[in-house]
């Protein structure tokens, strides 16, 4: 606590031997951040400049990749600063804001994947009605809701949390996440219930909707010709891979704070880094390689760059 400025500071105690390996950590995360920005931005660039990619499915993919960049930007800059700092601290208000961004963008990921699942359902199961249902207005509404819904729900939680009394000032994490709740002097039943409601609305229900939608798609296409089954697999499997990857990592983040015992710091660091390192880098790889049209334009771009060099 800084009495002069009346600012409460939190120590981020999840780092492992940061003083010994600070430059190694910094270089790894700096390179990873550059790769996240470049890889995701390249796919978005291809979608923007090629008119045949101006379809709802690719627009949702572009939004998902932009969300990955924003998600990383909410975490990486502070991490990089901490690696080079003598003390890994953050003001409590900034910590709450970082947590708000982290979970808002995480919730947006699930809602964007839900919109993509619905788009694939209409495209494959109701092809004659596709242009009528998936209009530009519909796509814009889905995109707006994907960010607006989690933000509106989480802002209320953030406002309440910022006024909660703290009895501890060290969080066993490398950035502000659910572990912040362990700093509170006493648990709030109302806050816990509200947190569960948010989790259901922005993660569990969308995930169940996605699984149900793809199960319906595969059930319908199973009875169809081989060409239809191939199209369904090509467009749906990348989305499912992204969903499974992100869901497993988010499940860890949500459940770890509920455990009554602390897992080893190194194990927690590895799992946390997977969420902020592995996931934003995997998305562009999956969509760049598995989506046929994007892959084709990506190869053309790489060939052109090779000829220029």
């Amino acid at each position: 606590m800084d009495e002069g400025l009346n600012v409460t500071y939190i120590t981020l105690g999840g780092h492992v031997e940061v003083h010994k390996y600070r430059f190694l950590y910094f270089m790894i995360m700096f390179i990873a951040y550059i790769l996240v920005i470049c890889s995701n931005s390249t796919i978005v660039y291809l979608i923007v400049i090629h008119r045949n990619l101006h379809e709802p499915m690719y627009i949702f993919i572009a939004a998902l990749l932009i969300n990955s960049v924003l998600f990383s930007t909410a975490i990486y800059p502070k991490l990089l600063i901490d690696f080079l700092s003598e003390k890994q601290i953050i003001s409590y208000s900034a910590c709450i804001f970082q947590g708000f961004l982290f979970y808002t963008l995480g919730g947006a990921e699930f809602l964007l994947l839900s919109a993509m699942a619905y788009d694939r359902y209409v495209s494959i199961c109701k092809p004659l009605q596709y242009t009528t249902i998936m209009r530009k207005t519909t796509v814009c509404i889905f995109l707006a809701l994907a960010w607006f819904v989690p933000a509106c729900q989480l802002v209320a939680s953030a406002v309440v949390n910022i006024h909660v009394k703290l009895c501890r000032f060290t969080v066993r994490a490398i950035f502000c996440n659910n572990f912040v709740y362990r700093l509170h002097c006493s648990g709030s039943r109302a806050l816990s219930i509200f947190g569960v409601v948010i989790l259901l609305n922005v993660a569990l229900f969308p995930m169940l909707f996605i699984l149900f939608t793809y199960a319906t798609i595969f059930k319908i296409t199973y009875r169809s010709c081989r060409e239809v089954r191939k199209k369904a697999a090509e467009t749906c499997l990348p989305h499912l891979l992204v969903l499974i990857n992100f869901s497993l990592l988010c499940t860890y983040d949500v459940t770890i704070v509920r455990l009554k015992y602390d897992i080893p710091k190194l194990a927690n660091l590895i799992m946390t880094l997977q969420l902020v390192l592995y996931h934003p880098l995997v998305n562009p790889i999956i969509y760049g390689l598995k989506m046929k049209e994007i892959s084709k334009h990506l190869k053309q771009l790489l060939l052109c760059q090779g000829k220029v060099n």
Side-chain angles (χ1 to χ4, degrees):
M1 174 81 75
D2 188 323
E3 298 294 345
L5 298 175
N6 196 28
V7 176
T8 301
Y9 286 98
I10 304 299
T11 298
L12 298 168
H15 295 275
V16 177
E17 298 192 52
V18 66
H19 298 294
K20 185 176 180 181
Y21 299 110
R22 65 170 72 249
F23 294 110
L24 177 62
Y25 285 151
F26 179 86
M27 288 306 301
I28 291 173
M29 297 307 291
F30 179 74
I31 293 171
Y33 188 39
I34 297 300
L35 288 174
V36 166
I37 294 174
C38 292
S39 58
N40 285 277
S41 299
T42 299
I43 306 298
V44 173
Y45 168 75
L46 291 174
I47 293 172
V48 170
I49 65 170
H50 293 288
R51 294 188 63 84
N52 68 319
L53 298 182
H54 292 181
E55 298 177 8
M57 177 176 68
Y58 298 110
I59 293 171
F60 288 134
I61 289 174
L64 193 73
L65 299 180
I66 290 171
N67 193 69
S68 290
V69 173
L70 296 174
F71 181 84
S72 299
T73 302
I75 305 299
Y76 277 73
K78 173 58 178 167
L79 269 180
L80 294 173
I81 292 171
D82 284 342
F83 290 144
L84 299 180
S85 302
E86 288 299 319
K87 294 182 179 180
Q88 292 72 47
I89 60 172
I90 184 172
S91 69
Y92 184 61
S93 57
C95 187
I96 294 297
F97 182 64
Q98 186 182 53
F100 166 77
L101 291 178
F102 178 71
Y103 290 111
T104 295
L105 295 169
E109 185 102 3
F110 282 108
L111 294 177
L112 287 170
L113 287 169
S114 299
M116 294 162 77
Y118 179 71
D119 172 73
R120 290 301 82 208
Y121 169 77
V122 176
S123 175
I124 295 170
C125 302
K126 299 182 179 181
L128 298 179
Q129 302 174 45
Y130 183 77
T131 54
T132 303
I133 297 174
M134 296 304 295
R135 298 175 179 176
K136 286 184 178 180
T137 304
T138 306
V139 173
C140 290
I141 291 172
F142 282 161
L143 291 176
L145 289 176
W147 282 292
F148 185 73
V149 169
C152 284
Q153 294 186 67
L154 283 159
V155 72
S157 177
V159 170
V160 172
N161 273 318
I162 206 165
H163 296 292
V164 172
K165 184 179 179 181
L166 305 181
C167 286
R168 288 167 290 278
F169 301 93
T170 299
V171 59
R172 286 175 57 87
I174 58 174
F175 60 87
C176 296
N177 55 10
N178 271 320
F179 274 109
V180 172
Y181 289 108
R182 292 190 177 185
L183 303 179
H184 298 171
C185 292
S186 59
S188 169
R189 187 174 181 82
L191 200 59
S192 296
I193 293 172
F194 186 55
V196 171
V197 171
I198 295 173
L199 179 64
L200 292 174
N201 288 340
V202 302
L204 185 59
F205 289 156
M207 185 171 66
L208 292 176
F209 171 78
I210 294 166
L211 294 175
F212 174 77
T213 302
Y214 285 133
T216 304
I217 291 172
F218 291 134
K219 181 181 178 180
I220 292 173
T221 55
Y222 179 76
R223 304 167 188 165
S224 305
C225 64
R226 183 180 177 183
E227 195 62 32
V228 174
R229 291 198 300 270
K230 184 180 178 182
K231 178 186 176 184
E234 285 179 351
T235 58
C236 294
L237 286 179
H239 305 327
L240 281 174
L241 289 173
V242 172
L243 173 68
I244 293 168
N245 170 52
F246 193 65
S247 297
L248 291 175
L249 293 173
C250 286
T251 299
Y252 169 81
D253 180 79
V254 171
T255 57
I256 189 62
V257 75
R258 305 295 177 185
L259 299 177
K260 294 182 179 180
Y261 60 91
D262 291 319
I263 68 168
K265 187 184 287 188
L266 180 60
N268 184 53
L269 176 66
I270 292 171
M271 290 300 297
T272 303
L273 284 177
Q274 283 193 62
L275 184 60
V276 299
L277 183 67
Y278 175 71
H279 178 68
L281 285 172
V282 165
N283 277 8
I285 293 173
I286 290 176
Y287 290 117
L289 297 178
K290 294 294 183 181
M291 301 299 290
K292 186 176 178 180
E293 288 299 316
I294 295 177
S295 178
K296 182 177 70 176
H297 290 301
L298 183 59
K299 288 175 182 177
Q300 290 175 353
L301 178 65
L302 294 176
L303 286 173
C304 288
Q305 289 296 323
K307 289 178 181 179
V308 170
N309 294 332

